[in-house]
Amino acid sequence: MTLRGKAAIPATPRVISPSPTPSELSQDGLQDSYFGPVTRSATRRRQNGSVTPQIPESLDEDSSDPDLRRARTRSRSPIKPRKVAGLTSAKTPTKPARVPKKAQKPIMVPEETTEHANGVIVTSNGHLAPPTPATAGWNWRDFSRSPSPLGLIPIHRHFKTLIHKHEVPRKVLHVSIGFIVYWLYVTGTQPGWVTPWLMAHLIPIALTDYLRHTYPSLNRFYVGCLGAFMRESEYDGWNGVVFYLLGAWMVLHFLPKDVAIVAVMLLSWCDTAASTFGRLWGRYTLRIRRGKSLAGTLAAFVVGVVTAGWFWGWLVPRTPWFPGDEQNPFMFNGFLRLPEIAANALGLTASEATVTGNVALAVMSLWSGLAAAGSEVVDVCGLDDNLTIPVLSGIGMWGFLKIFG
């Protein structure tokens, strides 16, 4: 019996599932892949063929065989936002930092700043990298004398107590100006002869101070020569001599002779007394504001009263008349009187509303001390007290004599 006439029955084709079974994965060399623990119910369903086994995610992405790839099922649960952990700052508001004009793109930094002990404000960029240094620019707060740590001026490290703590060379220079004014007065020098010299020194000193902040090498040389007379805050700020000369020039140029002389003496001696006694006993007394204590204010008041009483009560009567005094008359001539409106309201005659002699001198001295203490304490936009003390105390005495003189 021959089989030539019958057709051959083909073999049953093998169907490859798009999701390979663990046995197929082991044949392909994936037996070392890690599979999580499987429960008995899941194993039972897998044996019955109701559930297709899952494969690692690495096969979906990294496998080059298209037969082993399968589409991921989309989760029906809402997507939960992940908390990003990194070095970025949590604060989202940003602002453009100050960059040079040559820069093409602005740098965005967070609104978080840190103020160091030396008054320099550093902006944090929220990363571990050091912050971008701010560009140099003028600000009206540069006039302020911000605190600064010891070490910017080399000579302060060698003479800590003598220079840095007590400022002995600076105070000697400060006090000497008052005695120079005294010598100019007793020799008959008029204010109009002094103001041109003050301006002639003010312009080059201010220009040099500006240039040393522009060129660091010049600043180092400047500090090396005059560091004993400077404060640590003046290393990066304006020198107090600039404001000293400017304040003295303003009062000598605009105010009467006697008021201007007393104002410069108050600057020279009251400011030094307030600084000295404030450093010695300021921690034991009430703090009026930052850097100003009741001990320093009382010292300025006492020295102001003594200075005004000594000038108008002792020095002026013993100083002869000089040519040019007729063009610079004094405002205080030994008497004080109430304004006519106040005298009429109180029912006082002209003689009864007038005080002379030691009473008038005492009242004028007390008011001068108050003006000196007030101008030493007040803070006018952070301006240096070498400028505010003579100007404010001079205006205070001028206004008082304008009403009662």
Side-chain angles (χ1 to χ4, degrees):
M1 189 174 191
T2 178
L3 299 177
R4 182 177 302 176
K6 296 183 179 180
I9 299 175
T12 303
R14 181 182 179 184
V15 180
I16 299 176
S17 174
S19 300
T21 61
S23 59
E24 293 175 345
L25 294 177
S26 59
Q27 295 175 4
D28 293 338
L30 299 175
Q31 64 275 9
D32 295 333
S33 300
Y34 172 77
F35 294 92
V38 183
T39 60
R40 284 180 290 181
S41 59
T43 305
R44 191 179 304 109
R45 287 194 302 269
R46 183 180 300 173
Q47 293 175 355
N48 296 334
S50 59
V51 178
T52 304
Q54 301 290 333
I55 63 172
E57 292 182 2
S58 59
L59 294 176
D60 297 342
E61 297 176 358
D62 302 330
S63 178
S64 59
D65 190 356
D67 295 334
L68 297 180
R69 295 181 183 176
R70 57 185 294 270
R72 292 184 181 179
T73 59
R74 182 174 302 174
S75 175
R76 297 184 180 181
S77 61
I79 300 176
K80 297 181 179 180
R82 295 183 179 180
K83 185 176 181 181
V84 181
L87 300 178
T88 319
S89 176
K91 296 184 178 181
T92 54
T94 57
K95 61 180 182 180
R98 299 170 59 187
V99 296
K101 295 182 179 179
K102 297 181 180 179
Q104 299 294 332
K105 298 180 179 179
I107 302 175
M108 306 297 291
V109 297
E111 292 180 341
E112 183 175 358
T113 57
T114 303
E115 184 174 359
H116 292 259
N118 59 355
V120 179
I121 298 178
V122 179
T123 304
S124 174
N125 58 6
H127 303 281
L128 293 180
T132 305
T135 56
W138 184 87
N139 193 342
W140 67 272
R141 293 187 180 274
D142 294 339
F143 286 116
S144 177
R145 299 183 304 169
S146 58
S148 179
L150 175 65
L152 291 178
I153 303 178
I155 195 173
H156 286 217
R157 293 195 296 265
H158 301 287
F159 303 94
K160 296 181 181 179
T161 303
L162 181 67
I163 295 179
H164 187 78
K165 184 177 180 180
H166 299 296
E167 299 180 339
V168 174
R170 181 186 182 93
K171 291 178 180 177
V172 170
L173 177 63
H174 216 283
V175 171
S176 64
I177 303 299
F179 291 101
I180 293 176
V181 173
Y182 161 77
W183 175 78
L184 292 173
Y185 172 72
V186 297
T187 55
T189 306
Q190 301 298 330
W193 305 346
V194 179
T195 51
W197 287 95
L198 291 176
M199 185 57 64
H201 288 81
L202 174 61
I203 294 176
I205 291 177
L207 181 60
T208 304
D209 216 47
Y210 172 78
L211 292 177
R212 75 181 180 91
H213 292 105
T214 306
Y215 303 99
S217 58
L218 178 60
N219 191 22
R220 290 191 294 267
F221 176 77
Y222 184 93
V223 171
C225 297
L226 303 175
F229 303 97
M230 299 173 60
R231 286 190 172 130
E232 289 285 328
S233 58
E234 294 175 352
Y235 183 89
D236 294 323
W238 290 88
N239 197 329
V241 178
V242 177
F243 303 100
Y244 204 114
L245 294 174
L246 180 60
W249 179 86
M250 292 178 67
V251 296
L252 290 173
H253 182 76
F254 294 104
L255 297 179
K257 181 178 179 179
D258 57 339
V259 174
I261 292 175
V262 175
V264 177
M265 288 183 175
L266 294 180
L267 166 63
S268 178
W269 297 334
C270 292
D271 187 27
T272 305
S275 176
T276 302
F277 288 93
R279 291 170 183 263
L280 292 176
W281 297 306
R283 59 183 179 272
Y284 304 113
T285 60
L286 180 66
R287 176 184 176 183
I288 300 177
R289 68 174 182 88
R290 183 178 181 182
K292 303 295 180 181
S293 62
L294 182 60
T297 303
L298 290 177
F301 170 75
V302 172
V303 174
V305 172
V306 174
T307 300
W310 167 77
F311 177 78
W312 275 304
W314 187 87
L315 184 60
V316 172
R318 288 167 175 78
T319 303
W321 182 86
F322 294 101
D325 286 344
E326 68 279 358
Q327 300 177 0
N328 299 283
F330 281 15
M331 288 195 73
F332 181 68
N333 296 305
F335 66 90
L336 296 173
R337 69 164 58 95
L338 288 175
E340 185 177 355
I341 298 177
N344 294 334
L346 296 175
L348 301 176
T349 61
S351 59
E352 293 174 344
T354 304
V355 293
T356 59
N358 293 331
V359 178
L361 178 62
V363 173
M364 188 64 207
S365 300
L366 289 174
W367 178 258
S368 300
L370 288 174
S375 61
E376 197 273 335
V377 169
V378 71
D379 182 17
V380 183
C381 301
L383 293 176
D384 196 285
D385 54 6
N386 289 325
L387 175 62
T388 58
I389 289 178
V391 173
L392 295 181
S393 62
I395 293 176
M397 291 184 293
W398 174 83
F400 181 82
L401 292 173
K402 201 71 173 172
I403 298 173
F404 301 101

